[in-house]
Amino acid sequence: MPKSSTDRPTAPETVWLAAGRHTGPAPQQALREHLRELKNSETIQDFLEPENASTPDGHVFEARWLVDDDVTVRARLVTDGRDHVDAERRWTLAAEAERPWDLSWPSPATMFWPEKSDISWDRDSVAGLRLQDINPLPKDDAALRRMLKDIARHSWSINVVVHEAMTPDPEGRLPLTRLLPPALRHRVVEHRATPEQFHAVNWALGDLGTSVPRGGAVILSGTPARVGFDEQAFRVRSVFLDGSEPTELLDKVVQFAALPWPLPDDAAAALTALRQDWRLLTLEEELAHARALAASYSEALEAMTTSRDLYREATELAHAALAEMAEYRDAVSAVRASASGQDRHPLTKTLQRVTDSLLPRRAPRADTLQAARESEERARESSG
């Protein structure tokens, strides 16, 4: 059974997450070359392609850089492991800063991928839609409905549907995502519906419980829905596609991005891998890691030593108990033999030995000892 929004952890404010597709050849080579250029220009502090980090499911790259001069960002990008030259490859990127994320900071995607090049990496992971361009909605109604369902349920991106009230001029055909803060430009997919698609797109959006105003825009909730999402609050009645800045829509996208995001399973896994499998350590971090390992080994050794001493003590006590039981068994056998009439005088000695051996452990009651002595005297008299 899928987890509900309330069962899922939400993305921390320090984290930036994105997933996309690379549609061109040799993504790993492109990543290496771009990371090397950024390190040489000191845009990033360092990067690493960890040895043995590649698996059948992915190839790993790590990078570290500073924002605002003193805030460290650590990021981990994984491309899937298929080796087909022309096949599309999914990539996931998780980045975490030392303080809550500022949307004015550079997009972590551009710290791995070259922002302006012929490399086709900036596609949404679900439908292969452009992250920095306009995506016309399909003309076929069934394809339109299927695509909107897929992106609403599986895309990590913020999906915005804009309806054109009339066919826009060249200025209106520029993507609105270019006006967003840098850290949002690779997390938003802009869909456009033509004027004649108004009824078809709202028919398809009806499956998702929303609609787009004529000549306006709507932000899809995603799955799981963001905490505090209100469908009416993220609809814009008018978007003027004349080259002017659609301030209301841009503000809505920023507000939506700030809502707590219950992480899908694969996004949660990407964040966990960033935190637990990180290998690009500074010298200070390596020293701290070595100290932590030494402390852990010391605790384990101490626990093993304590366990060994306890085991030895328990063994000694067990042997002592077995010896006492054997002695007691021999004494009981002697008592029974004496009582059968074979020898009366050894009975006294046996009882005395048993009594002496038990005295240090448990002082017998006086009336019990008196009864034992009287029984002994009667035995002597009867034997005489």
Side-chain angles (χ1 to χ4, degrees):
M1 179 181 295
K3 294 181 181 178
S4 68
S5 298
T6 55
D7 294 333
R8 296 175 179 273
T10 56
E13 294 181 349
T14 55
V15 168
W16 189 98
L17 292 160
R21 285 189 194 180
H22 178 280
T23 60
Q28 295 168 13
Q29 184 60 32
L31 287 163
R32 291 187 196 102
E33 292 177 357
H34 187 56
L35 286 165
R36 193 175 296 115
E37 290 175 4
L38 294 182
K39 182 178 179 180
N40 291 338
S41 65
E42 299 184 350
T43 303
I44 63 175
Q45 290 181 324
D46 205 355
F47 75 93
L48 179 68
E49 186 178 352
E51 293 182 8
N52 302 322
S54 297
T55 69
D57 298 324
H59 193 89
V60 179
F61 292 87
E62 295 178 351
R64 184 182 64 245
W65 63 90
L66 291 178
V67 290
D68 289 349
D69 297 328
D70 61 352
V71 179
T72 299
V73 177
R74 295 173 177 82
R76 189 174 192 265
L77 183 144
V78 181
T79 63
D80 74 25
R82 290 176 295 177
D83 295 325
H84 306 297
V85 174
D86 296 324
E88 292 186 354
R89 290 174 171 86
R90 188 175 190 267
W91 56 264
T92 60
L93 201 169
E96 185 162 22
E98 292 177 323
R99 74 181 193 205
W101 203 272
D102 189 323
L103 295 182
S104 66
W105 292 344
S107 166
T110 61
M111 297 298 178
F112 289 89
W113 300 109
E115 186 169 13
K116 295 180 180 179
S117 72
D118 296 331
I119 299 173
S120 300
W121 60 267
D122 55 346
R123 304 291 184 96
D124 183 72
S125 61
V126 176
L129 302 168
R130 288 279 188 181
L131 295 173
Q132 302 182 85
D133 205 348
I134 292 172
N135 296 278
L137 289 172
K139 297 296 184 181
D140 179 75
D141 290 352
L144 168 63
R145 185 180 187 184
R146 183 170 54 254
M147 189 198 72
L148 288 176
K149 277 187 176 181
D150 285 345
I151 61 175
R153 292 175 179 174
H154 304 297
S155 175
W156 293 13
S157 301
I158 299 170
N159 286 271
V160 182
V161 178
V162 180
H163 177 248
E164 301 169 345
M166 60 185 68
T167 302
D169 59 19
E171 289 292 323
R173 286 194 289 270
L174 294 175
L176 302 179
T177 52
R178 78 190 193 283
L179 304 173
L180 289 167
L184 279 179
R185 290 174 192 164
H186 303 109
R187 293 175 54 199
V188 175
V189 177
E190 179 185 351
H191 307 270
R192 289 283 185 96
T194 61
E196 60 273 16
Q197 283 184 296
F198 178 69
H199 293 294
V201 71
N202 277 329
W203 170 75
L205 288 173
D207 293 338
L208 308 178
T210 190
S211 62
V212 59
R214 186 182 294 274
V218 63
I219 301 174
L220 305 185
S221 66
T223 304
R226 302 209 174 204
V227 178
F229 176 80
D230 179 356
E231 187 268 339
Q232 290 297 322
F234 291 98
R235 298 170 79 237
V236 178
R237 297 199 62 80
S238 297
V239 178
F240 297 103
L241 301 174
D242 55 2
S244 61
E245 185 169 314
T247 305
E248 184 182 4
L249 177 57
L250 298 177
D251 288 345
K252 296 285 187 184
V253 172
V254 171
Q255 292 169 22
F256 181 88
L259 293 177
W261 181 30
L263 292 175
D265 291 340
D266 48 357
L271 177 56
T272 299
L274 169 66
R275 291 175 168 178
Q276 296 184 0
D277 300 334
W278 180 258
R279 302 191 190 183
L280 181 59
L281 302 177
T282 63
L283 179 59
E284 293 78 9
E285 289 169 339
E286 289 179 352
L287 290 173
H289 182 63
R291 292 191 189 102
L293 281 177
S296 177
Y297 291 150
S298 177
E299 291 176 2
L301 181 60
E302 183 179 353
M304 290 172 62
T305 302
T306 302
S307 177
R308 182 195 63 192
D309 292 342
L310 290 174
Y311 176 79
R312 183 172 56 198
E313 182 181 348
T315 302
E316 291 173 353
L317 289 173
H319 284 306
L322 288 172
E324 289 186 8
M325 289 176 63
E327 183 180 355
Y328 176 75
R329 187 170 56 249
D330 292 343
V332 169
S333 298
V335 169
R336 289 176 177 170
S338 299
S340 65
Q342 296 175 2
D343 189 355
R344 299 294 184 179
H345 293 292
L347 174 60
T348 302
K349 296 178 181 179
T350 301
L351 286 173
Q352 186 62 46
R353 186 170 69 253
V354 173
T355 300
D356 292 343
S357 66
L358 294 176
L359 276 174
R361 303 178 186 82
R362 178 179 178 186
R365 293 173 51 185
D367 54 349
T368 303
L369 290 177
Q370 182 62 34
R373 291 192 184 98
E374 291 175 357
S375 177
E376 182 182 353
E377 289 297 326
R378 286 195 297 272
R380 287 177 180 174
E381 291 173 359
S382 62
S383 62

